[in-house]
């Protein structure tokens, strides 16, 4: 109102008009300062709003979930060194159900730490096929698939190294590293699977009761949460029993196992 009054006035012709105009403009200036302060307070409140997921990563997750040939890969090993061997090969499909899952008899003893992390007991490997005997099934399961993997460098590196010792070769696999995508999604340099699951209200079973299936289900639910823009929630109680686990977002793990 003051601004309208001032702009409508005729040129100043006397001391009284000058004083009145000066007072009015001082009032306008005070109002501007109050508005600026209010806007700054609103800006600070805006900065404190919960972080939202990056739109491009949400759209990426949605697009990947639509792929008919999407699968999630989990590989267990006897340890974390290049000379260690594959002990389990697991694939979860785009609907969150088991596509492929079998143990592999390694040429090396299963380390205690690897057993604890993967939930695999040595006796489970005694009657399993070797990697050489399982290789055709592995290639068939990966053929024509878009593969998401948590810490892909580790899993593919171990697969290739173990295969090479048997004179086998892992062909090109099309897909992406979900751990890297999740780190970008949560604005982190690095993120563990269990921490990502906590953020989406999904608790993994405690080791040694978590398996490659839990981690495969975890990958599925992390991608699904990303596709819905879910960024940070509280974690519920851990889910332990897989028998009544038709892929609800309540179970899971970090890696490399």
């Amino acid at each position: 109102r003051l601004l309208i009054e001032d702009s409508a006035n005729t040129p100043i012709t006397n001391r009284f008009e000058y004083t009145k105009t000066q007072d009015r403009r001082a009032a306008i200036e005070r109002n501007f300062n109050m508005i600026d302060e209010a806007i700054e307070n609103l800006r600070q409140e805006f900065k404190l709003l919960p972080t939202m997921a990056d739109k491009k990563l949400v759209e990426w997750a949605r697009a990947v979930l639509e792929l008919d040939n999407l699968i999630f890969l989990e590989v267990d090993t006897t340890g974390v060194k290049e000379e260690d061997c594959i002990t389990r090969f697991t694939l979860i499909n785009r609907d969150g159900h088991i596509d492929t899952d079998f143990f592999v008899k390694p040429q090396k003893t299963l380390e205690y730490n690897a057993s604890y992390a993967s939930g695999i007991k040595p006796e489970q490997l005694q009657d399993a096929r070797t990697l050489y005997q399982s290789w055709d099934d592995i290639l068939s399961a990966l053929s024509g698939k878009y593969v998401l993997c948590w810490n892909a460098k580790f899993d593919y590196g171990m697969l290739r190294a173990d295969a090479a010792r048997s004179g086998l070769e892992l062909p090109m696999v099309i897909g992406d590293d979900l751990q890297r995508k999740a780190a970008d999604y949560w604005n982190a340099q690095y993120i563990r699977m269990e921490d990502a699951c906590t953020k989406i209200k999904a608790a993994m079973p405690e080791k040694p009761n978590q398996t490659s299936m839990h981690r495969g289900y975890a990958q599925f639910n992390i991608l699904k949460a990303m596709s819905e823009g879910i960024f940070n929630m509280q974690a519920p109680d851990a889910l332990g029993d897989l028998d009544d686990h038709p892929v609800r977002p309540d179970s899971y793990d970090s890696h490399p196992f």
Side-chain angles (χ1 to χ4, degrees), residues 64-76:
V64 171
L65 270 177
E66 290 297 319
L67 296 175
D68 290 335
N69 62 341
L70 172 65
I71 54 173
F72 301 87
L73 169 67
E74 279 295 325
V75 171
D76 288 322

Side-chain angles (χ1 to χ4, degrees), residues 15-249:
R15 180 184 301 179
F16 173 77
E17 290 178 355
Y18 175 83
T19 300
K20 185 176 181 181
T21 301
Q22 189 178 47
D23 291 343
R24 185 166 52 236
R25 293 194 178 180
I28 292 172
E29 184 68 26
R30 287 194 297 273
N31 286 340
F32 277 138
N33 289 338
M34 291 173 60
I35 292 171
D36 289 342
E37 183 178 354
I39 290 175
E40 180 59 27
N41 289 337
L42 289 173
R43 288 187 188 278
Q44 294 304 317
E45 290 184 26
F46 178 75
K47 291 179 181 179
L48 295 176
L49 292 175
T51 302
M52 289 188 65
D54 183 270
K55 181 181 178 181
K56 290 183 178 179
L57 289 169
V58 172
E59 291 176 346
W60 171 84
R62 289 175 181 172
V64 171
L65 270 177
E66 290 297 319
L67 296 175
D68 290 335
N69 62 341
L70 172 65
I71 54 173
F72 301 87
L73 169 67
E74 279 295 325
V75 171
D76 288 322
T77 63
T78 58
V80 297
K81 299 176 182 178
E82 187 175 352
E83 59 267 25
D84 280 300
C85 303
I86 305 301
T87 55
R88 191 171 187 174
F89 180 87
T90 303
L91 294 175
I92 302 296
N93 65 24
R94 66 185 294 272
D95 297 316
H97 300 125
I98 298 171
D99 179 273
T100 304
D101 181 51
F102 53 80
F103 294 106
V104 178
K105 189 172 185 177
Q107 300 175 15
K108 187 177 178 182
T109 302
L110 176 65
E111 294 179 3
Y112 171 80
N113 288 341
S115 174
Y116 183 83
S118 65
I120 296 176
K121 298 178 176 63
E123 54 268 28
Q124 292 176 292
L125 305 176
Q126 291 178 356
D127 298 325
R129 296 176 298 167
T130 65
L131 185 68
Y132 185 86
Q133 294 168 330
S134 306
W135 196 245
D136 285 345
D137 288 342
I138 290 175
L139 295 185
S140 176
L142 294 175
S143 178
K145 298 298 196 304
Y146 185 89
V147 185
L148 282 187
C149 183
W150 195 271
N151 192 0
K153 182 178 180 181
F154 175 84
D155 282 5
Y156 291 138
M158 298 302 288
L159 266 173
R160 289 192 177 95
D162 200 5
R165 287 190 288 270
S166 297
L168 304 169
E169 184 177 354
L170 181 69
M172 175 70 70
V173 179
I174 305 301
D176 215 324
D177 187 331
L178 184 56
Q179 184 181 37
R180 181 175 59 83
K181 288 290 188 180
D184 291 342
Y185 181 85
W186 276 290
N187 304 313
Q189 291 293 322
Y190 170 85
I191 188 167
R192 299 186 306 162
M193 187 182 288
E194 60 188 4
D195 293 335
C197 287
T198 297
K199 291 178 180 295
I200 64 170
K201 203 173 183 180
M204 298 187 71
E206 294 291 331
K207 296 175 182 178
N209 297 318
Q210 60 178 243
T211 68
S212 60
M213 288 188 290
H214 290 109
R215 293 190 294 275
Y217 294 142
Q219 288 197 63
F220 170 83
N221 285 296
I222 289 169
L223 183 67
K224 191 172 187 298
M226 290 171 63
S227 75
E228 295 172 357
I230 296 173
F231 201 79
N232 198 3
M233 301 171 71
Q234 295 296 319
D237 293 335
L239 177 72
D241 190 354
L242 286 178
D243 293 337
D244 55 358
H245 179 315
V247 188
R248 9 178 245 258

